[in-house]
Amino acid sequence: MEIQNEDGRISKWASFFICIMLASVGGFLEAFTYLLKGGVFCNAQTGNFAMLAIYFVSKEYHQAVYYIFPILAYIIGIGCTIYIPKWLSKLSILHWETIFVFCEIIILFFLGLIPDTLPNGITNVPISFICAMQYNTFRKSNGIPLATTFCTNNLRQAVIHFCTGVEQKNYESKIKSLYYISVILFFVMGAGIGTFLIQIVKEKAILFCCLILLPVLFILFLSDIKNKNL
C-alpha cells in the first residue's frame, strides 16, 4: 500500500509528511519499549527471535515464552493488513490507511493509561501488533519503498541510491537517497523526543504519539472525503 496512491489521492508533500510522522512514531515506540518495558524493541522481531533462541538453549523456558507473544502479535498484525482492507473496502468510504491510523491513536491512548505496575507484555504485545500493521500498511511513499518502523533497509537503500547517484550522476537516485535519510532522521528524532518525555512523564509519554498522528489522520480523512465527492 502506498502513502501516495497511484490516483494521486494526496499530494507528494502530504505523502512525505505522513511518512516522516509515522517514522517519528516508530522511533518513539522503540525508545518507549526499550526504556520502560523491559529493554526490548517491538518495532521489528529480529531481536525477539534471537532472545527466544538464547533463552531456549539456556533452558530458561519461562523467559523464552515471553518473546513468543510479541512475535505472534506481529504475525497477526501482518495478517490483519492483508484481510481487513479487502473486507472494509466493501463497507466503508474510508480507506484502510485512514481507519488504521485512527485505531492506532485509540490503542496508543489506552496504553498511556495503563499503570506501570502491570506486566510489560500488556504494553509490548499491542505495540508489536501496531508496528506490524503500520509497517505493512505504509510500504511506499511517492513510489519509494520504505519502512516507517525500523531503519535497517532504509539505511541500505540510502547508501545504494547515494552511490548510484554519484557514480552515474543520476539526480533521481540522489533524491531517493535524501528521502531515505530524511525518514531515518525523523525516526531518530522520534526516539530522542521519546527519551526526553519518558524522563518527565514516564508511561504517559506515549500519549505524545497520538498528537503526532492526529494531523496524519486529518490529511487521510480529508482525502477520503474529497475522493468520495468526486
Side-chain angles (χ1 to χ4, degrees):
M1 299 179 188
E2 290 197 49
I3 299 174
Q4 166 67 20
N5 290 339
E6 293 297 330
D7 59 3
R9 183 162 62 94
I10 58 177
S11 70
K12 291 184 177 181
W13 283 109
S15 175
F16 178 69
F17 175 79
I18 290 173
C19 176
I20 59 177
M21 290 299 99
L22 290 172
S24 298
V25 170
F28 195 108
L29 294 177
E30 282 280 68
F32 185 84
T33 57
Y34 181 80
L35 294 174
L36 291 181
K37 301 301 174 182
V40 299
F41 296 116
C42 291
N43 291 28
Q45 298 304 305
T46 305
N48 286 336
F49 277 111
M51 295 306 298
L52 174 65
I54 290 170
Y55 281 117
F56 184 81
V57 172
S58 301
K59 297 182 179 180
E60 298 182 49
Y61 302 119
H62 64 290
Q63 288 289 342
V65 170
Y66 173 79
Y67 290 93
I68 293 177
F69 293 108
I71 292 173
L72 289 176
Y74 205 88
I75 293 171
I76 294 171
I78 295 295
C80 286
T81 62
I82 296 173
Y83 294 107
I84 294 180
K86 297 178 182 178
W87 177 63
L88 286 175
S89 64
K90 303 175 183 178
L91 302 175
S92 175
I93 65 171
L94 300 177
H95 284 77
W96 159 244
E97 297 97 320
T98 308
I99 296 172
F100 164 69
V101 171
F102 174 76
C103 293
E104 184 172 9
I105 291 172
I106 297 300
I107 294 172
L108 292 175
F109 178 79
F110 280 106
L111 289 179
L113 304 180
I114 294 177
D116 58 2
T117 54
L118 295 179
N120 291 333
I122 293 178
T123 298
N124 289 342
V125 169
I127 289 180
S128 292
F129 179 74
I130 288 172
C131 288
M133 296 182 79
Q134 179 175 309
Y135 168 52
N136 208 45
T137 296
F138 298 100
R139 294 178 300 192
K140 290 183 180 181
S141 176
N142 294 317
I144 301 175
L146 49 79
T148 60
T149 57
F150 52 87
C151 293
T152 305
N153 190 55
N154 292 339
L155 181 60
R156 170 180 170 270
Q157 293 292 344
V159 175
I160 289 174
H161 285 293
F162 175 78
C163 293
T164 301
V166 172
E167 182 180 2
Q168 301 178 6
K169 297 181 180 180
N170 188 312
Y171 177 77
E172 184 178 349
S173 291
K174 293 178 182 179
I175 293 298
K176 287 183 178 180
S177 179
L178 289 175
Y179 211 99
Y180 284 110
I181 291 171
S182 298
V183 175
I184 294 170
L185 287 176
F186 274 87
F187 184 95
V188 173
M189 287 174 58
I193 293 171
T195 301
F196 175 75
L197 292 178
I198 286 167
Q199 296 173 352
I200 301 173
V201 294
K202 302 298 182 182
E203 276 76 10
K204 296 292 187 298
I206 201 171
L207 297 175
F208 183 74
C209 291
C210 299
L211 296 178
I212 297 176
L213 290 171
L214 281 176
V216 172
L217 177 63
F218 183 72
I219 292 171
L220 292 173
F221 179 77
L222 285 183
S223 69
D224 286 349
I225 299 300
K226 180 181 178 181
N227 187 61
K228 176 65 178 179
N229 293 332
L230 291 178

